[in-house]
Amino acid sequence: MPLPRSRPVLADHTPPPAAAGTWRALVRRPRETSTSTFVFTPRGAALLLSGTAGCGSWSATGTSAFSYRITEPLIDADGRCTGWVDIDQTGVCRGAAFTSCGVSRIHDARGVLRYRVPVAIIARRWE
């Protein structure tokens, strides 16, 4: 499973970027819609707290624009890792909401890319 990219450390006096916070999201895939929780820390960590938890990084790419990448392990009923999902999204914050879109890449346990899935996300800040 690939490791998340590192991000520069923000100075303590820097205001948090617009995307920093906890978000409840509606995740739309071609054949399924689900809910998830995302956390974006002010220092660039990105967490997925639904299903099998995932982690990665995010960064601001403009005043309200940002991108994030999260690796989510796929665990079977016996607790074995059967692969992982590489979540790669670009988004825009608008007040207490964000939208993002991208492609998730699903790999098997040997790292072989099995398929790609387009994903769109609509989220609201959850405090």
Side-chain angles (χ1 to χ4, degrees):
M1 190 171 354
L3 296 174
R5 298 176 289 200
S6 62
R7 295 289 178 213
V9 175
L10 298 174
D12 291 339
H13 64 282
T14 304
T22 302
W23 303 85
R24 289 288 296 159
L26 188 64
V27 180
R28 293 185 175 153
R29 298 171 202 84
R31 295 184 192 143
E32 175 187 27
T33 298
S34 62
T35 59
S36 292
T37 301
F38 291 90
V39 177
F40 301 118
T41 72
R43 294 184 181 231
L47 306 169
L48 171 64
L49 303 178
S50 304
T52 55
C55 65
S57 61
W58 77 278
S59 63
T61 57
T63 305
S64 59
F66 68 107
S67 64
Y68 58 99
R69 195 158 189 178
I70 296 173
T71 301
E72 177 186 11
L74 300 173
I75 309 297
D76 70 10
D78 295 323
R80 290 184 300 247
C81 181
T82 60
W84 70 88
V85 182
D86 177 18
I87 301 164
D88 192 359
Q89 295 270 311
T90 57
V92 176
C93 284
R94 290 183 182 90
F98 83 73
T99 58
S100 68
C101 62
V103 175
S104 290
R105 292 167 182 81
I106 293 79
H107 301 265
D108 66 18
R110 294 183 315 264
V112 175
L113 176 64
R114 291 301 179 179
Y115 52 96
R116 294 175 176 89
V117 178
V119 178
I121 295 173
I122 300 170
R124 300 219 35 96
R125 194 174 294 278
W126 188 33
E127 310 259 350

